[in-house]
Amino acid sequence: MKKLVGTLVFVLIIGAIGVFAFSQIKPFGITTNSSAETSLVQDRIVELSEWTTLKYEYSKAIVSRTDKNIPLTDINFAEAIKLIEYSGYLKAGSDLSKLEVSYDEVSEQLSVRVPKAQILDNVVETEKTTIEDVKGNIFSDSPTQKVFDDINADKATLEEEKISQGFLEEADKRTEELLTPLLSSMGHDDVIIEFY
């Protein structure tokens, strides 16, 4: 996936350099104004759509428990304990379709407002999931839905944990690091990137 993102960024940079070179030559005497310039920049960046700038891969192990009691008593006659091992990935990035671009002709400064990063994907790779019985008997079969509910609750907890550790801020920083050279290759040396 990192190779795909790297290839995509490389192709966009090469395309941007080509557009910039063509616009500098002006073979047909075409000139651009501020509105056309911002539109061109916005169109080039919006082509990226949802830009995944950060990916976190994880492997987790959780314990799923179910108890069956005799009604109206505290007697437990069937208990199931399962060890669930799973892996997945968490992706963060920005929705570039909501990008705002403005250009100040006097200072020749390009201002780009980018939506703050958000979680784009939190995927459990079910083909790599294993479930082992730790404890159980014929009366203590654990429902399959309970296993999925436990996995979903755990992955939601992991997502909140990563967000509290600055995962989205790191994605914003990565977006800025990728946008700056891209815009520079389009001929904009004075760029302000702001997240909203």
Side-chain angles (χ1 to χ4, degrees), residues 155-193:
K155 81 174 191 175
T157 301
L158 173 84
E159 184 176 315
E160 291 171 11
E161 203 174 282
K162 291 303 290 179
I163 290 171
S164 71
Q165 293 171 354
F167 190 65
L168 297 180
E169 289 79 9
E170 193 176 335
D172 285 338
K173 182 179 175 188
R174 181 78 176 127
T175 298
E176 186 172 2
E177 290 170 355
L178 293 171
L179 275 179
T180 302
L182 176 65
L183 295 169
S184 180
S185 71
M186 296 173 77
H188 300 286
D189 295 323
D190 191 5
V191 176
I192 295 175
I193 298 175

Side-chain angles (χ1 to χ4, degrees), residues 9 28 30 45 49 76 80 83-84 97 111-112 115 120 129 132-133 138-139 141 148 152 157 159 162 187:
V9 170
F28 307 109
I30 299 171
I45 295 174
S49 188
N76 184 357
L83 176 66
I84 306 166
S97 66
S111 297
V112 180
L120 301 176
T129 301
E132 293 181 36
D133 285 322
I138 60 170
F139 299 111
D141 189 30
F148 288 119
N152 287 334
T157 301
E159 184 176 315
K162 291 303 290 179

